[in-house]
Amino acid sequence: MNALLEMKRITKVYPNGVVANQSVDFSVARGEIHALVGENGAGKTTLMKVLFGLERADEGEVFYKGEKVDITSPSVAISHGIGMVHQHFMLVPSLTVAENVVLGLEPRRGISLDVKAAVRRTEELAEEYSLPVDAAARVEDIPVGMRQKVEILKALLRGAELLVLDEPTAVLTPQETVELFAALRNLRERGHTIIFISHKLREVKEISDRVTVMRNGRVVGVVRTAEATEADISRMMVGREVVFRVEKPPATPGRPVMRVEDLRLVTDAGKEVLKGVSFVVRRGEILGVAGVEGNGQTELVEILTGLRPPSGGRVLVDGEDVTGADPGTIRRCGVSHIPEDRMTYGAAAEATIRENLIADRCWSKRFNPRVLMSLKVVAEHGDALVREYDIRARSSATPVKMLSGGNIQKVVVARELSADPKVIVANQPNRGIDVGATEFIHRKLIEKRSSGVGVLLVSADLNEVMSLSDRLLVLYGGEVVALFPDASEVTEEELGLYMLGVKRMTPEEMAGAEAASAGGRADPSDAEARSPAVGGGAR
C-alpha cells in the first residue's frame, strides 16, 4: 500500500480520565476514500483532532508522506496539506461565501478586501472542483448543503491534499448527499485523499474504498469495503448483531392527543412556508412526517414546540389550545421535544449531564423539597437515567461538552422521554448517531408508543420514518400531499414520488385515509379530529 498517512500507537487520555484513543494504528493510502466508523465515543473524532492539531496525543507518532511530522496546531496541519471539515461548520454567518473561503488569505486592494477578486477566486475554485456555490450570498442565507461545499472549498484553497470529513451527510438531504458524493469522487480522481467519518453504513458502502472500524478507543478491524456487508461492519462496531429492521408490536391507537388545524406560516420576507397543514396524533401511535428537508418540517416543529408562533391555524394538546404558547407552557401541557439540533436547542454544553437532565423540571418539589435544591436527589436522578439510557460517561457530573455526539443525543432523549409526556415531537432523532444508539433510541420510542404516548416523528431518513411509523404523511412545499393509514404498505419508490411533488393525493383520498386510520370509531372527539386532518391545502 502506498501510504499517504500513518498514525502509530496514538494514545489520548483526557484530564477527566477518559481514554479516547488507546494505542491506535491508522493508515490511509494515497488517492483513496477511507471510511472511519465506530460507535459514538469510539474515538474517531479524537483521532482526527490529533491529526489536525486540535488535540495533542499523549503517546504515538504521525507520518505523512513518509516523514514523521509534529502537528501542533491546525495551521501546521494545513501547511502539510491536511484539511478538516467539522460536523458543526466553522463559518462566519454574516460574511459572504467568498469572504469565508478567502478568510485569512484575502486578496487586497490597498488596505481593503478586493471583493471582486475574492468572488472570482471562489467561482474559479468551485468550477474546478465541481462544487457550485453562490459566491456573493451570505452564509446565513444559504442551505446547509452549500455551507458544506464552502467548508470544502476553504480547505482546497489552502492546499489540502488529505481531506477529513466528519459526519458530512448528517444534515444533508438525499439530493445533497448525491451531489457531495459526486464531488468526492471527482476529488479522488484528481488525486486527493479523503477520510470519511460516518454512522450511515449504506453511505460508507457506497462511497468508500476501505473501512477502519473503532470500538472503545481501539481499532478492531480494517476491511475492503467491497468485501464486507453492512451487517459485518455494524457487528465490528458494537460487538454484537444489530437489528436493522425495527421490531414493534401492533399499534393500538386511542383518542387524539395532538390536533393541528389549518396551520399556516408566512415569513417576514413574505414567503408562505406552511399552507394549511392539518393532522392528528393519537395516543399509542407513531405518526411519521416524511419529506425532503426544506419543505416546512422545521417550521412545523418549531410551532408545535413553542419556538415560533404560526400565522394562522390552531394547535391543541389533549383538548387544550396551545397555539402561540411559549415552550414552557407547551411542555407543561405534556409535550416533549427531541430537537433536530441537539447543541442549539437540546443541551447546555457547559452544564453537567445531571443538570441537563432536570433542565425542564428543576422547579419541581422532587428536586426542591424545601428552600434549596436537593443536590443528592438531582445526582440520584441523573445517575439512574445515565444507567437506563446507557450514556457513556464517568458519572452524571460529567459536563455535556465532554461527551460524543451520540451520547449528547442520549442525554436529550433521556430527559424528554422521562418527562411523562402525552406526546413526543421527535425531529431527526437518529441524526449523527451510530447504529447501536439508533437501535436503542428507536426501542425507547416504541416503548413510549406502546404505553399510550403519541409520537410525531419527523425524519429525512426514509428507513427510519418507514420502519418506525404506524401512519405516515408527506410534506411537500409546506402542504400535506399524502396520508397513508398503514406505513408498512408504502414503498420507498411510491413515497419518493410524493416527496418530490410528482404525485399528490386529492383531499377526498386523504379524508378516506384518515377515516380508515380512525378505525371507523364513532367517538365524537375522534370525528371532530378527522374533519381538519385531511391534508394541507391540497387542491
Side-chain angles (χ1 to χ4, degrees), residues 20-83:
N21 295 144
Q22 190 167 354
S23 194
V24 172
D25 290 335
F26 176 68
S27 64
V28 180
R30 189 184 299 271
E32 75 169 340
I33 298 178
H34 193 114
L36 180 60
V37 303
E39 287 190 281
N40 293 112
K44 311 178 299 296
T45 299
T46 298
L47 185 67
M48 291 300 98
K49 284 183 175 180
V50 169
L51 173 62
F52 196 58
L54 291 168
E55 299 280 4
R56 293 285 285 170
D58 298 303
E59 297 177 15
E61 301 172 308
V62 178
F63 294 85
Y64 187 66
K65 296 182 179 178
E67 297 183 0
K68 184 177 177 180
V69 293
D70 185 19
I71 302 177
T72 56
S73 69
S75 60
V76 173
I78 292 168
S79 71
H80 284 294
I82 300 170

Side-chain angles (χ1 to χ4, degrees), residues 213-236:
V213 183
M214 294 187 68
R215 186 168 77 237
N216 297 328
R218 297 176 179 270
V219 170
V220 295
V222 182
V223 296
R224 292 196 175 279
T225 309
E227 298 172 0
T229 65
E230 289 183 38
D232 294 333
I233 298 169
S234 67
R235 193 181 308 114
M236 294 169 68

Side-chain angles (χ1 to χ4, degrees), residues 328-351:
T329 299
I330 291 176
R331 279 183 172 276
R332 286 190 288 275
C333 288
V335 178
S336 284
H337 176 208
I338 302 172
E340 63 179 325
D341 187 335
R342 54 182 168 257
M343 294 312 299
T344 300
Y345 299 109
E350 299 296 327

Side-chain angles (χ1 to χ4, degrees), residues 280-300:
V280 294
V281 181
R282 295 183 172 84
R283 292 185 181 277
E285 76 164 354
I286 298 177
L287 174 63
V289 179
V292 177
E293 290 191 61
N295 280 278
Q297 298 97 315
T298 295
E299 293 80 4
L300 172 64

Side-chain angles (χ1 to χ4, degrees), residues 98 102 106-120:
V102 303
E106 300 93 338
R108 295 284 178 179
R109 176 178 291 178
I111 61 171
S112 61
L113 171 69
D114 188 337
V115 176
K116 289 184 178 180
V119 170
R120 184 170 61 252

Side-chain angles (χ1 to χ4, degrees), residues 430-504:
N430 77 340
R431 174 164 285 170
I433 63 175
D434 60 69
V435 290
T438 295
E439 181 189 40
F440 180 88
I441 290 172
H442 285 176
R443 189 168 67 247
K444 285 293 183 182
L445 287 174
I446 290 169
E447 286 175 6
K448 286 296 179 182
R449 165 263 215 184
S450 296
S451 69
V453 176
V455 180
L456 181 69
L457 172 68
V458 180
S459 180
D461 185 329
L462 278 187
N463 286 332
E464 178 176 51
V465 78
M466 292 178 70
S467 59
L468 269 185
S469 302
D470 300 306
R471 291 191 300 133
L472 189 59
L473 64 82
V474 181
L475 270 185
Y476 176 77
E479 299 179 273
V480 177
V481 296
L483 177 64
F484 300 97
D486 186 348
S488 67
E489 296 181 355
V490 188
T491 65
E492 282 194 26
E493 293 73 18
E494 182 182 10
L495 198 58
L497 294 175
Y498 289 103
M499 290 171 62
L500 294 172
V502 176
K503 290 180 66 177
R504 66 186 300 156

